[in-house]
Amino acid sequence: MPKKKTSLTIEERLQQALVPVEEQPYEVPENWVWVRLGEVVDVLNGDRGKNYPAKSTLSKEGIPFISAANLCDNIVVEDDLLCMSEEQYSKLSAGKLMLNDIVLCIRGSLGKHGKFPFKKGAIASSLVILRSKDRGRLTDGYVMQYLDVPLFYDEIKKYDNGTAQPNLAAKNLELFSFPLPPLSEQQRIVERIEELFAKLDEAKERLQEVADSFAVRKAAILHKAFTGELTKQWRRENGVSDESWEDVSLDSVCKSIYDGDHMPPPKSETGIPFLVISNVNTGFISFEKCRFVPEEYYDGLSETRTPEIGDILYTIVGSYGIPVMVDTDKKFCFQRHMALLKPKDIYNRFLWRQLQTQSFFEQATSIATGTAQLTVPIKGLRKLIVKCPTLSEQHEIVRLIDDLLARERAAKQATEQALASIDLMKKSILARAFRGELGTNKASEASALELLRQVLAED
């Protein structure tokens, strides 16, 4: 932006401040004007000279020194703030913050921003301060909302001049197109956005509670299943006694229970996948980013350590207690931080589901050893107790669990889609707000052109 010349008249400066028609991003109401951001907002860099404080000189007490790490969800996060001394602050020649200044990241995470909540402070070199030239004629809340609209991010892409990392120059930020309505309309827009967002946030909070409670509902279903409550009616209808359930040791319903080979396996660029806990910690097998071992190493493993479809993996070190059904005929082996269970005389999916219960996890926890990294010993695992009803009831339990959890997953997916739609609705509201389409604009009000004249006259 060319430097302002004091010899220019207000009308000449006005024409310089306005965005030419051919460069205006879209049409706005007639009593709005498109203006360069730097004409209504001062863009202030931090001190980048010899007085810029080294991180090693900052502490937990003093005057807040704001960096990009302190910006999150459109606020200045007060936790873990680093501070400078009064002496350091007094030496700064630029970048001093005032209460309610807007802080914006212009290097790296472009567009992160927040409102400064303290009486004074300073900014790191990756930030700038946005300060309204006349807070009586430009609402800070309106500027804050502008920083979230798609238009603002379109302007960022347009003026980003970074190479190794994204970067905005303050002088380019001043060139951003800014839709300026009359002051009263700015206030109405902010109030309307806040009103609509409050309703959406309330709905989002309720939906999030539903989504977060999936694990609780799953645990409740499993508890009912393995205490016999889920199939109580089924037993009555099929003449099965409530006393038919037995407590048996895990090894009594498995052909074998062994952990992975304790010898460090040879590495290979290709060959047989070698799974570690990160490949199963979702509860399902993933071959993404897995290691490999030579095929001859796999061929040398015993049958007790070679997984087959229907077997169950069970993590026993660190992130212990995760049961994973082997549902692939693909050859693979696994690290010693997992155990391989080969079920017999029990429905394998029934056992897999029972290993997911809180009660079984608590059994595993009760025998876990170690301090830094808990380990469930194989000998102890083999003696843990599982509940065994008749084989036909096992199949009925699994059928009911699968049906109930399928409904829960469908409900969770619908909830997550609704949550995503709320974020899209917010973006739509913001886009409409800065087009004058929220139904708040009053065409009879004086044009923002007069407001701009007053700002320029006092600048």
Side-chain angles (χ1 to χ4, degrees), residues 233-375:
Q233 183 63 31
W234 179 90
R235 286 195 300 276
R236 289 175 182 173
E237 293 173 353
N238 289 272
V240 178
S241 169
D242 289 348
E243 306 301 318
S244 59
W245 286 54
E246 294 182 322
D247 288 350
V248 299
S249 63
L250 186 59
D251 64 354
S252 70
V253 291
C254 292
K255 289 187 291 185
S256 62
I257 301 175
Y258 279 91
D259 56 0
D261 189 0
H262 284 229
M263 295 299 293
K267 296 180 180 180
S268 176
E269 291 296 320
T270 58
I272 304 297
F274 178 79
L275 302 190
V276 297
I277 287 183
S278 62
N279 296 114
V280 301
N281 59 8
T282 61
F284 299 93
I285 292 173
S286 170
F287 292 102
E288 291 186 14
K289 298 180 181 179
C290 69
R291 308 175 193 175
F292 294 93
V293 295
E295 191 153 355
E296 53 269 24
Y297 169 80
Y298 173 84
D299 292 339
L301 295 174
S302 67
E303 182 183 346
T304 59
R305 287 182 167 134
T306 50
E308 300 173 296
I309 287 181
D311 290 348
I312 300 170
L313 293 168
Y314 189 79
T315 60
I316 56 174
V317 178
S319 299
Y320 68 91
I322 305 172
V324 183
M325 178 66 72
V326 178
D327 57 0
T328 176
D329 58 2
K330 184 174 182 176
K331 292 180 178 180
F332 71 91
C333 51
F334 55 95
Q335 70 177 156
R336 63 183 180 86
H337 290 179
M338 289 182 263
L340 180 65
L341 286 61
K342 291 183 172 289
K344 70 167 185 178
D345 302 328
I346 191 172
Y347 183 25
N348 60 352
R349 287 182 61 81
F350 174 84
L351 179 58
W352 172 60
R353 287 298 191 190
Q354 188 166 173
L355 298 182
Q356 296 172 27
T357 62
Q358 180 64 24
S359 59
F360 192 86
F361 180 78
E362 289 171 359
Q363 283 192 76
T365 300
S366 70
I367 64 167
T369 60
T371 52
Q373 195 174 50
L374 290 177
T375 298

Side-chain angles (χ1 to χ4, degrees), residues 148-161:
D148 284 322
V149 298
L151 167 65
F152 178 68
Y153 286 92
D154 289 342
E155 295 288 274
I156 285 179
K157 292 176 184 177
K158 179 179 177 181
Y159 288 104
D160 176 10
N161 61 359

Side-chain angles (χ1 to χ4, degrees), residues 45-112:
N45 279 310
D47 189 332
R48 300 179 183 181
K50 64 179 182 179
N51 292 320
Y52 187 82
K55 188 174 181 179
S56 60
T57 66
L58 302 175
S59 66
K60 294 292 184 181
E61 296 181 357
I63 298 172
F65 183 73
I66 308 301
S67 69
N70 300 122
L71 302 178
C72 182
D73 295 331
N74 297 355
I75 61 172
V76 174
V77 180
E78 298 183 29
D79 295 339
D80 300 321
L81 267 180
L82 291 177
C83 299
M84 59 199 317
S85 67
E86 188 72 47
E87 181 181 1
Q88 288 174 308
Y89 176 79
S90 65
K91 292 180 178 179
L92 294 178
S93 60
K96 292 184 177 181
L97 285 157
M98 297 167 53
L99 180 65
N100 291 330
D101 275 346
I102 297 171
V103 186
L104 175 72
C105 183
I106 60 168
R107 190 170 304 117
S109 301
L110 298 185
K112 285 176 64 176

Side-chain angles (χ1 to χ4, degrees), residues 33-45:
V33 292
W34 279 103
V35 63
R36 299 297 183 188
L37 181 63
E39 296 294 348
V40 290
V41 173
D42 285 323
V43 181
L44 309 171
N45 279 310

Side-chain angles (χ1 to χ4, degrees), residues 108-139:
S109 301
L110 298 185
K112 285 176 64 176
H113 59 276
K115 185 174 287 188
F116 185 64
F118 308 106
K119 289 184 178 180
K120 64 180 181 179
I123 55 170
S125 59
S126 60
L127 307 177
V128 291
I129 299 168
L130 301 184
R131 184 179 295 158
S132 300
K133 290 180 182 293
D134 187 339
R135 281 179 172 165
R137 296 186 176 91
L138 186 63
T139 304

